[in-house]
């Protein structure tokens, strides 16, 4: 007899790395990045930039040394989510360590995050 486990809320999701005190990871399949918390634009972009250098070996976010932080400001999105374990019944989630379900800031258990959409 097989047992199925239900998704569980994750209070502290495992990120790929921490830069300047900010947990950072890739999210989704388009190369987007997520950072735990709402920090200043400069600090958040610095963490994302360092992640691209150390995790992927790129020169910076754009892999273009002439790119500036101002080029990336429109791509930042401050949101809230609840992190949870993947649903074993959902084949799309099978390879992920965690899933972020977007929600309002007032939702119980909501965590502030910052996204960088490519």
């Amino acid at each position: 007899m097989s047992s199925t486990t239900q998704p569980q809320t994750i209070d502290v999701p495992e990120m790929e790395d921490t830069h300047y005190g900010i947990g950072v990871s890739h999210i989704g399949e388009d190369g987007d990045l997520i950072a735990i918390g709402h920090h200043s634009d400069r600090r958040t972009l610095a963490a994302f930039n360092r992640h691209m250098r150390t995790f992927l070996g790129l020169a910076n976010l754009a892999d273009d040394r002439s790119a500036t932080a101002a080029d990336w400001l429109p791509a930042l999105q401050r949101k809230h989510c609840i992190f949870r374990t993947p649903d074993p019944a959902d084949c799309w989630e099978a390879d992920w360590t965690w899933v972020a379900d977007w929600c309002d800031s007032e939702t119980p258990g909501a965590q502030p995050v910052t996204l960088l959409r490519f």
Side-chain angles (χ1 to χ4, degrees):
M1 178 180 352
S2 67
S3 66
T4 58
T5 57
Q6 295 299 313
Q8 301 294 313
T9 301
I10 301 171
D11 292 329
V12 182
E14 183 179 336
M15 296 284 110
E16 292 171 338
D17 211 336
T18 300
H19 308 289
Y20 310 114
I22 301 173
V24 177
S25 190
H26 284 88
I27 185 167
E29 298 177 351
D30 296 327
D32 297 339
L33 295 170
I34 188 169
I36 301 296
H38 293 164
H39 307 278
S40 70
D41 291 347
R42 181 180 173 151
R43 186 171 171 205
T44 303
L45 286 172
F48 286 147
N49 198 48
R50 182 164 179 89
H51 192 68
M52 296 303 272
R53 286 194 320 267
T54 60
F55 196 79
L56 294 180
L58 302 179
N60 55 26
L61 285 171
D63 201 22
D64 175 359
R65 295 198 186 277
S66 67
T68 66
D71 297 334
W72 291 96
L73 289 177
L76 288 179
Q77 297 179 4
R78 287 177 174 78
K79 295 184 148 216
H80 287 81
C81 70
I82 294 177
F83 290 100
R84 64 171 171 81
T85 58
D87 183 345
D90 187 337
C91 64
W92 294 106
E93 298 179 5
D95 294 332
W96 299 342
T97 305
W98 47 260
V99 174
D101 290 328
W102 309 119
C103 62
D104 294 326
S105 61
E106 297 83 23
T107 302
Q111 295 189 38
V113 295
T114 305
L115 298 177
L116 181 73
R117 300 273 189 189
F118 283 91

